[in-house]
Amino acid sequence: MDDILLIVFLPLLAAIIGGLGNRALGNFVVKLITTVALFASCALSWPIFLEFVAGNGTTEVVPVLKWVESGTLSFDWALSVDALTAVMLVVITTVSAFVHLYSWGYMEEDPDQPRFFAYLSLFTFAMLMLVTADNLVQMFFGWEGVGLASYLLIGFWFKKPSANAAAIKAFVVNRVGDLGFMLGIFGTFLVFGTVSIPEILAAAPAMAGSTIGFLGYRFDTMTVLCVLLFIGAMGKSAQLGLHTWLPDAMEGPTPVSALIHAATMVTAGVFMVCRLSPMFETSPTALGFVTFIGAATCFFAATIGTCQWDIKRVIAYSTCSQLGYMFFAAGVGAYGVAMFHLFTHAFFKALLFLGAGSVIHSMHHEQDMRYFGGLRKKIPLTFWAMMAGTLAITGLGIVGAFGFAGFYSKDAILEAAFASGTELGGLAFWAGITAALLTSFYSWRLMFLTFWGKPRWIESEHVQHSVHKTPETAEDSTGGYQPHESPWTILVPLGVLSVGAIFAGYVFHHAYIEDAAFWGSSIAYNEHLMHALHEVPTWVKWAPFAVMITGFAIAWYGYIRNTAFPARVVEQIEVVHRFVFNKWYFDELYDFLFVRPAFWVGRLFWRAGDIGIIDRFGPNGAAWAVAHGAGYAQKLQYGYLYSYALVMLLGLVGAVSWIIAG
């Protein structure tokens, strides 16, 4: 298990070299060092994962160094490796390695490539620290590390005001969630007297039913702790209420979207809930809360994805929706199924984001799908990669035969929700079915608008007039810009991720869903639920396929067969469309409730407090007193000898009088 040290610290070493070396080393050297380091970590991660799949993996803790000794608080910096960690290792290192390679082509013209690649490697290290954490403080270190790296990467193009605003928004919203996470960690230490995750999980069942006092009231201990911890997950994984940062994060470069906001960072919350699943199992109320938030997010985000025009925002809201699936799977107790969807989702969502980046690259950074069309013949390799990702996310497959990645994981989530037999489980099932219909619709809408129909890039002033014509950029009959296929550094990652999108579900579904030995003690494995999952009615098994076909048919009719149909539908439901198109007005609501009052309070303290009191009576007041005092003192300096003699005489008389009077 010494390999785990290399897996975790190679990205950190690469980030340090790339960050400090920067332009002194040059673009090529920094890119080579960081990319080789990530591929090395990836190569070392897969054997560990496959050992657990084969049933030969063993849980180990590799110590790094002594960390904290303070009173009763004592913990080391150690790397824990079990089945759950092994899953995350291959997800993080595989996606990150190919995102590094992809960025060679996508960021080729950027003048600040060393900084970008150093940030990517720093993020990967922080994420690896999070998933290998042996205690809650170390997990929080990784948790905040990915938050920092996310801020740096979203705002990488810091000269763009929109990128800076998006980075700040992501940072602030995540701090709200992190406050809950910190309170959960503090409360857990207060209750259990330790931050060691194995010790906490071992003691958690004994705390079921206990209460804790707060402000004169008694609350269920485990419910309070689990809800606080889950609030942290809501922020990091962009769940309803703390989701507003994720779509805006698309302002960062497309490789950032694929790495952070599709496959890794946003899944940290799911990982945390599954890691602490024995704690959540002690509180049905907390699990119900997780189920409800997951189901609501699943439906809410899918509705918004149906009417966005920015290709990256469609995929971003799809990410929110898919994370909702993972959370309500965990909420009904199907933690292994939630992790299975996390695993498959990493492949097809990273593929879709990187495929969208290839489209944007070919369209000279145009992201509005209204200016795409007819691209399947111009960029055929990108088209087939996007097709694989679309078939995976929509869950194409035949029950009992073969299916793409999402077919196995998403269908298992829906079956688990139905099999749970609870009211919230039933609600989650129907929310998930509805979201599956919407997912199929917006996914095929994206494909049809991008790759079919007449070429509309001729109508885009951005594409036609801001491009630098070169011999390689062919021109069409109108004399305008002609899209072209991406370089091999972009296409190779698309090809590899396509293989994962096609086969990851088929190859690994048995280990994730049916093999309790695979998980060992890394999660709370519910054998009864996993058995009931296979006993659901036939219509439940076929319902996802039916809604997938329905969504495809609606998208085909509206964007291929009868292109005037969507506009007519919008006219009929104008109010609903405006509500959904404006993202349920969450941004406007938060602006009214939080942003404007915060700015008002800030301006009040600035003008009345800082300027009116501190500056007035502090530095400005002292300067005024010195200036005026100097003016009065100056008036006493007449320059005449008899005036100074008179002053001295008066002083002498005053001193003598004071002595005599005393």
Side-chain angles (χ1 to χ4, degrees), residues 68-127:
V68 171
E69 292 281 350
S70 177
T72 59
L73 180 62
S74 173
F75 53 88
D76 298 335
W77 190 352
L79 307 178
S80 176
V81 182
D82 57 12
L84 190 62
T85 303
V87 172
M88 295 303 297
L89 288 179
V90 296
V91 167
I92 295 165
T93 58
T94 302
V95 174
S96 183
F98 284 101
V99 165
H100 274 71
L101 179 59
Y102 178 96
S103 299
W104 280 59
Y106 194 86
M107 302 295 290
E108 184 178 8
E109 298 178 0
D110 195 280
D112 207 1
Q113 296 176 54
R115 181 166 62 91
F116 180 77
F117 279 83
Y119 286 170
L120 287 182
S121 296
L122 176 64
F123 167 82
T124 306
F125 163 72
M127 192 68 197

Side-chain angles (χ1 to χ4, degrees), residues 12-34 111-119 121:
L12 175 62
L13 180 62
I16 292 173
I17 294 173
L20 297 180
N22 206 293
R23 296 181 183 178
L25 294 176
N27 292 345
F28 178 79
V29 174
V30 172
K31 291 192 294 185
L32 183 65
I33 291 173
T34 54
D112 207 1
Q113 296 176 54
R115 181 166 62 91
F116 180 77
F117 279 83
Y119 286 170
S121 296

Side-chain angles (χ1 to χ4, degrees), residues 462-478:
H462 175 74
V463 172
Q464 295 302 325
H465 299 302
S466 66
V467 66
H468 176 65
K469 299 294 191 301
T470 68
E472 289 77 20
T473 57
E475 296 187 357
D476 59 21
S477 58
T478 66

